[in-house]
């Protein structure tokens, strides 16, 4: 009966419902419910300047505070959301929540840092996407120059609307990076025409950079290419000092990874920003 009532049928779901009835609800429906019932969270992973070590950015990464399963990661959310239009609603929530949080940090007087948001293909396909991002930024009084949108190479395959949205966002001052660079269907000529500001080197090239000559060659080539194209490079998934040293020598601009910090809940980032502000206070 609940099923025939369609989309909004989750309203009848109660946590004490018997297990077999609860199984009626697919992950997708459960996720829609999670969005409506405020179970989604954002964690933020710091990004650092490779030379001076300053905090330069935070990447927002989605989590799900599941009522029975605990804190679930992006792998339990994004693939399900992307298989339906739900990713559009979740994506909008991510923009709204992260911009609100950034505004909160700025209001407290912490040094403004760049905020990176992951964007799915389906969001970028919306003709209004650039306008949506701009309105949310205006609403929270966040300058788009502090925002970086992370898109993947596959997002941009044959997508005039997507490219148009990115052009518009770049015009409005936003930063655009290609996430997981080197793992998708890339086309070198698109680097020439796309309005991008940075490349993120995927963790798969970083992980064995010390002992795999091929991975080292690829990482070095991406960094050299970025320099020629005036793009910033961020290495993802930096876990050891040796990896950081090799990447710094190669000229990589920014580091993100467990060596420095895991993604952290907003309150922990707040504490961290507070401590750094105090430690650099001239008084
Ligand atoms: P991504 O954007 O490439 O994010 C980096 C992922 O690598 C994150 O996983 C992060 O926790 C993980 N990571 C960072 N440093 C290290 C490290 O040193 N070692 C290892 N092993 N892992 C590291 P996470 O949070 O599970 O996210 C996975 C993917 O899900 C993201 O990959 C992104 O593609 C997607 N995603 C996450 N949040 C969102 C979102 O709000 N919207 C959309 N559309 N996609 C999202
Ligand atoms: Mg990313
Ligand atoms: Mg990535
Ligand atoms: Mg990735």
């Amino acid at each position: 009966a609940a099923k025939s009532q369609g989309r909004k049928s989750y309203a009848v779901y109660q946590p004490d419902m018997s297990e077999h009835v609860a199984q009626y609800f697919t992950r997708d429906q459960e996720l829609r419910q999670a969005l409506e019932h405020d179970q989604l969270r954002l964690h933020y992973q710091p990004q650092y300047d490779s030379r001076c070590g300053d905090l330069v950015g935070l990447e927002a990464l989605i989590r799900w505070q599941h009522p029975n399963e605990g804190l679930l990661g992006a792998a339990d959310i994004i693939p399900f959301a992307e298989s339906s239009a739900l990713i559009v609603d979740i994506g909008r929530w991510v923009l709204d929540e992260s911009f609100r949080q950034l505004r909160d940090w700025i209001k407290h007087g912490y040094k403004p840092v760049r905020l990176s948001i992951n964007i799915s293909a389906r969001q970028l396909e919306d003709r209004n996407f650039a306008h949506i991002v701009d309105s949310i930024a205006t609403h929270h009084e966040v300058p788009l120059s502090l925002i970086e949108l992370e898109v993947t190479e596959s997002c941009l395959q044959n997508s005039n609307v997507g490219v148009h949205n990115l052009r518009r966002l770049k015009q409005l001052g936003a930063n655009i990076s290609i996430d997981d660079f080197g793992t998708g269907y890339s086309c070198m000529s698109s680097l020439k025409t796309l309005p991008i500001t940075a490349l993120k080197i995927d963790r798969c090239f970083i992980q064995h950079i010390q002992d795999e000559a091929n991975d080292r060659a690829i990482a070095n080539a991406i960094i050299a290419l970025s320099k020629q194209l005036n793009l910033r490079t961020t290495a993802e998934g930096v876990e050891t000092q040796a990896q950081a040293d090799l990447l710094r020598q190669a000229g990589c601009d920014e580091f993100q990874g467990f060596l420095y910090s895991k993604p952290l809940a907003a309150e922990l980032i707040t504490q961290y920003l507070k401590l750094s502000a105090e430690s650099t206070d001239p008084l």
Side-chain angles (χ1 to χ4, degrees):
K3 239 188 171 176
S4 61
Q5 288 164 21
R7 272 269 151 81
K8 293 277 170 193
S9 63
Y10 60 77
V12 303
Y13 174 79
Q14 295 297 321
D16 59 358
M17 242 183 187
S18 68
E19 201 112 65
H20 74 278
V21 177
Q23 278 164 11
Y24 256 81
F25 296 86
T26 62
R27 204 54 151 180
D28 182 55
Q29 287 168 300
E30 213 190 347
L31 198 48
R32 180 165 292 278
Q33 189 187 28
L35 176 63
E36 310 248 340
H37 293 188
D38 235 8
Q39 293 169 6
L40 298 182
R41 304 282 179 271
L42 288 178
H43 282 191
Y44 297 87
Q45 188 176 32
Q47 301 170 326
Y48 295 92
D49 184 291
S50 68
R51 293 158 195 102
C52 64
D54 282 358
L55 176 73
V56 285
L58 295 166
E59 178 175 5
L61 295 157
I62 198 163
R63 301 291 180 261
W64 178 1
Q65 192 60 61
H66 193 283
N68 329 311
E69 296 172 43
L71 190 70
L72 302 179
D76 284 308
I77 306 170
I78 297 303
F80 298 94
E82 282 184 339
S83 67
S84 76
L86 190 53
I87 190 63
V88 173
D89 295 336
I90 289 183
R92 201 187 279 236
W93 176 83
V94 169
L95 290 165
D96 190 65
E97 172 58 16
S98 62
F99 288 13
R100 185 202 61 74
Q101 182 62 67
L102 180 62
R103 178 68 213 159
D104 196 56
W105 285 323
I106 295 171
K107 216 169 57 198
H108 279 85
Y110 303 129
K111 193 193 99 179
V113 292
R114 210 174 49 225
L115 171 73
S116 298
I117 314 290
N118 293 283
I119 302 299
S120 291
R122 219 197 266 235
Q123 288 177 274
L124 210 54
E125 282 309 302
D126 180 345
R127 293 197 169 275
N128 278 322
F129 181 69
H131 175 70
I132 290 168
V133 174
D134 189 37
S135 321
I136 298 175
T138 304
H139 177 77
H140 292 291
E141 299 175 75
V142 161
L144 281 177
S145 58
L146 284 182
I147 302 302
E148 178 159 297
L149 302 166
E150 298 192 0
V151 298
T152 58
E153 292 155 287
S154 37
C155 273
L156 298 162
Q157 290 294 110
N158 310 313
S159 169
N160 292 328
V161 175
V163 173
H164 174 82
N165 275 320
L166 293 184
R167 290 232 166 84
R168 182 75 194 119
L169 284 161
K170 176 103 182 282
Q171 272 174 4
L172 292 167
N175 303 283
I176 315 284
S177 64
I178 298 193
D179 203 352
D180 307 336
F181 185 74
T183 63
Y185 294 99
S186 37
C187 165
M188 287 293 172
S189 71
S190 68
L191 288 178
K192 196 175 71 173
T193 51
L194 287 176
I196 53 181
T197 39
L199 297 182
K200 296 193 73 176
I201 309 171
D202 194 75
R203 188 170 76 91
C204 71
F205 303 118
I206 310 293
Q207 212 172 357
H208 305 292
I209 195 168
Q210 258 188 292
D211 23 57
E212 291 285 340
N214 287 344
D215 287 337
R216 199 156 56 238
I218 292 169
N220 288 346
I222 294 174
I223 293 163
L225 177 69
S226 302
K227 291 253 173 298
Q228 294 293 314
L229 295 169
N230 274 318
L231 302 173
R232 173 166 36 82
T233 44
T234 302
E236 301 191 286
V238 178
E239 295 185 350
T240 70
Q241 196 57 59
Q243 291 167 350
D245 291 342
L246 280 172
L247 288 159
R248 191 182 302 104
Q249 277 163 33
C252 184
D253 299 302
E254 296 181 3
F255 296 153
Q256 177 178 356
F258 295 172
L259 174 63
Y260 305 98
S261 174
K262 297 202 166 186
L264 300 170
E267 309 81 70
L268 290 173
I269 296 287
T270 305
Q271 284 180 28
Y272 175 86
L273 293 172
K274 195 161 176 241
L275 283 172
S276 344
E278 282 163 4
S279 68
T280 56
D281 195 330
L283 300 174

